[in-house]
């Protein structure tokens, strides 16, 4: 593949799958600066992996796989982080223009509670929950994670139960602090 073709393909895929990159980066880090760094590392790994893409998986599955593997190895690769590059993605939530600021604040709070709960899950469950939130099928999740569809169902059921319990605890704590 010519470099110009690869660059064009990468930019196209980035536009289509940037939400996945942002979602994975946010779920595997604790702060916006660290999320930004991880998102850049994911994109760097995706760029380096592009020549090895053989079309056996869909671009969405491939992008997820690269993002998840990079995120899971993030701590080991701490020293390799790049600090002098221009960000390709800004990791932040963009408010919808159709909602007012109180709705946006409420959505932001709900999202923060969700990510706080996701951070408390085992790392293998984080990946599964992200894929579920992005509405991938069990077959697609199995392809990204390299496990069977039935294993996806079992693990997802456990992860959803754990997440529900974590969210209920956080909601109860928030209500307790308000009173």
């Amino acid at each position: 593949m010519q470099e110009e073709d690869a660059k064009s393909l990468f930019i196209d895929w980035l536009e289509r799958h940037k939400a996945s990159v942002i979602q994975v980066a946010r779920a595997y880090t604790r702060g916006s600066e660290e999320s930004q760094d991880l998102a850049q590392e994911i994109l760097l790994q995706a760029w380096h992996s592009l020549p090895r893409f053989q079309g056996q998986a869909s671009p969405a599955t491939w992008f997820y796989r690269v993002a998840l593997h990079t995120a899971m190895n993030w701590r080991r690769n701490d020293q390799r982080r790049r600090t002098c590059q221009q960000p390709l993605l800004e990791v932040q939530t963009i408010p919808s223009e159709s909602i007012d600021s109180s709705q946006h604040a409420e959505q932001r709070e709900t999202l923060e509670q969700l990510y706080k709960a996701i951070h408390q899950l085992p790392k293998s469950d984080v990946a599964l929950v992200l894929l579920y939130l992005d509405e991938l099928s069990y077959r697609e999740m199995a392809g990204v994670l390299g496990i069977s569809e039935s294993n996806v169902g079992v693990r997802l059921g456990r992860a959803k139960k754990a997440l529900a319990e974590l969210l209920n605890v956080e909601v109860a704590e928030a209500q307790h602090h308000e009173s």
Side-chain angles (χ1 to χ4, degrees):
M1 179 182 304
Q2 298 265 342
E3 185 169 341
E4 206 48 46
D5 293 340
K7 184 177 180 181
S8 176
L9 181 63
F10 185 79
I11 290 170
D12 179 53
W13 286 1
L14 174 59
E15 193 57 39
R16 291 183 193 184
H17 307 294
K18 67 183 173 188
S20 303
V21 172
I22 292 168
Q23 191 176 40
V24 169
R26 180 112 191 260
Y28 278 86
T29 58
R30 296 226 177 249
S32 63
E33 191 171 310
E34 193 178 20
S35 292
Q36 186 72 45
D37 289 347
L38 178 53
Q40 300 315 312
E41 184 67 21
I42 289 168
L43 295 177
L44 181 65
Q45 291 302 318
W47 174 252
H48 288 304
S49 300
L50 186 61
R52 293 188 301 275
F53 177 74
Q54 296 175 348
Q56 295 173 338
S58 72
T61 299
W62 177 81
F63 234 101
Y64 253 121
R65 192 175 287 150
V66 170
L68 291 171
H69 284 281
T70 303
M72 288 182 210
N73 292 322
W74 178 240
R75 294 286 174 222
R76 274 186 250 148
N77 298 329
D78 232 357
Q79 286 72 28
R80 294 180 52 217
R81 291 188 190 174
R82 304 199 181 263
T83 56
C84 299
Q85 69 187 109
Q86 277 296 92
L88 294 174
L89 286 176
E90 290 297 325
V91 179
Q92 55 184 305
T93 51
I94 300 168
S96 171
E97 294 177 17
S98 63
I99 59 174
D100 64 37
S101 60
S102 65
Q103 286 177 313
H104 176 64
E106 190 175 310
Q107 283 181 350
R108 188 171 184 85
E109 177 63 29
T110 301
L111 190 61
E112 291 302 321
Q113 287 177 343
L114 177 62
Y115 276 110
K116 186 177 176 189
I118 288 173
H119 282 230
Q120 295 175 54
L121 293 174
K123 291 300 177 198
S124 59
D125 289 348
V126 171
L128 199 56
V129 168
L130 291 176
L131 296 171
Y132 173 76
L133 290 174
D134 220 15
E135 300 178 351
L136 269 70
S137 69
Y138 279 27
R139 174 172 283 149
E140 291 168 318
M141 287 186 236
V144 169
L145 298 173
I147 60 176
S148 70
E149 288 182 53
S150 60
N151 196 354
V152 167
V154 170
R155 288 178 50 192
L156 186 58
R158 289 181 190 150
K160 285 164 62 175
K161 183 178 178 184
L163 195 55
E165 288 172 6
L166 288 167
L167 287 170
N168 285 336
V169 167
E170 288 183 19
V171 168
E173 287 177 0
Q175 290 173 344
H176 176 73
H177 290 299
E178 289 176 1
S179 56

